[in-house]
Amino acid sequence: MANQVQISKKRKFVADGVFYAELNEFLQRTLAEDGYAGVEVRVTPIRTEIIIRATRTREVLGEKGRRIRELTALVQKRYNFPENSVELFAERVENRANCAMAQCESLRYKLLGGLAARRAVFGVMRFVMENGAKGCEVIISGKMRAQRAKAMKFRQGYLISTGEPKKHYIDEAVRHVAMRQGMIGIKVKIMMSHDPEGKMGPKMMLPDKIEVMEPKEEVVPVMQGIQEDEAPAYEVEEGYDQ
């Protein structure tokens, strides 16, 4: 990433993917309590910008920006970036109910706090659906109460699972919770609703969504009444018996 060495395109794509995966994993572990919701890497000719999306940006920045500077220094040293060539920013998530990562972390902390799995899931699903999501699915698998592991699936609303719209409408996240009885897996899927402005949901409409327009009011032509004095006169030809 940092070294300007000529490498093949194939190797560059692999290196970029590894860098993103490592960075995402590091931030996920470091900022789990601060509502971490993803990262975006923008490479410009002058510097590399790393935008951290989180629900609590104040905690990510720290007191007087101390924490974000620490994270910047760590990333710079780990990937051998030149001085002042990498910068970290924190971006607030507008609607955390539509963010699968944030809801996964919320569910994780509820389970670690000792709340019953079913109750914790219903709480998360209610919050998601009340904030305008189209559908939600939560899967919890592992040892809940008994010694035997099982999987529980909770679903509400409308969810799509295939095609191009899935990339835009479905937000998905997976987390692992280290409980006393063993490891528990959590998977959260949220289907966002359409937003023409693209702030609270995708701009693109679903292809099977048909909008029936209101019919236009038809203007019926009104014929003007013919007056008696303007009535057409009919001529009678002579030569016929009346």
Side-chain angles (χ1 to χ4, degrees):
M1 282 294 296
N3 299 331
Q4 299 296 317
V5 183
Q6 280 294 106
I7 54 169
S8 68
K9 282 185 181 178
K10 196 189 285 185
R11 284 180 183 272
K12 188 189 179 301
F13 278 112
V14 172
D16 287 356
V18 169
F19 169 70
Y20 179 84
E22 276 189 27
L23 185 68
N24 185 44
E25 184 73 23
F26 165 66
L27 293 171
Q28 195 175 295
R29 291 184 183 188
T30 314
L31 308 170
E33 291 179 17
D34 308 314
Y36 172 72
V39 66
E40 187 187 339
V41 180
R42 288 182 194 161
V43 181
T44 60
I46 304 159
R47 62 185 177 184
T48 304
E49 293 176 359
I50 297 166
I51 295 133
I52 301 163
R53 294 176 70 245
T55 53
R56 291 193 287 272
T57 47
R58 195 178 289 176
E59 279 80 354
V60 174
L61 293 167
E63 195 180 337
K64 295 177 183 176
R66 185 181 166 187
R67 195 174 188 194
I68 200 97
R69 284 199 300 273
E70 284 176 5
L71 290 168
T72 307
L74 281 167
V75 170
Q76 190 178 308
K77 283 175 184 173
R78 165 67 182 84
Y79 297 102
N80 300 321
F81 279 103
E83 197 73 31
N84 301 322
S85 66
V86 64
E87 198 161 349
L88 269 71
F89 301 97
E91 185 184 58
R92 191 170 173 272
V93 176
E94 288 296 325
N95 188 4
R96 68 188 180 96
N98 278 357
C99 178
M101 271 195 189
Q103 294 312 309
C104 232
E105 287 295 344
S106 167
L107 187 55
R108 180 167 164 257
Y109 282 105
K110 279 180 181 179
L111 292 171
L112 286 168
L115 195 66
R118 200 178 286 264
R119 196 172 174 185
V121 169
F122 283 134
V124 166
M125 287 181 82
R126 194 187 306 115
F127 177 70
V128 169
M129 295 305 287
E130 280 174 1
N131 280 276
K134 225 171 187 182
C136 178
E137 184 187 72
V138 180
I139 303 168
I140 294 186
S141 59
K143 288 191 223 174
M144 307 298 166
R145 291 187 180 186
Q147 196 62 26
R148 180 93 180 188
K150 62 174 179 177
M152 291 197 290
K153 189 183 279 188
F154 304 87
R155 191 180 249 199
Q156 198 175 335
Y158 173 66
L159 281 149
I160 55 169
S161 53
T162 55
E164 178 67 22
K166 188 195 171 188
K167 297 175 187 175
H168 305 278
Y169 276 86
I170 299 285
D171 192 17
E172 201 172 330
V174 176
R175 288 287 179 276
H176 303 94
V177 190
M179 303 286 279
R180 197 174 65 233
Q181 63 267 34
M183 197 65 86
I184 285 178
I186 306 168
K187 188 177 188 178
V188 175
K189 270 169 97 174
I190 296 168
M191 180 161 171
M192 294 172 273
S193 50
H194 169 67
D195 180 20
E197 292 177 4
K199 288 180 182 177
M200 307 300 274
K203 245 184 189 179
M204 188 189 82
M205 278 185 75
L206 284 166
D208 58 349
K209 171 87 170 143
I210 297 162
E211 214 172 297
V212 180
M213 308 296 282
E214 285 292 323
K216 291 179 181 177
E217 286 184 15
E218 286 186 21
V219 180
V220 181
V222 180
M223 288 184 71
Q224 291 180 351
I226 300 167
Q227 295 178 5
E228 288 180 11
D229 56 341
E230 290 178 9
Y234 296 100
E235 291 180 7
V236 178
E237 289 183 17
E238 291 179 6
Y240 291 97
D241 294 333
Q242 297 295 326

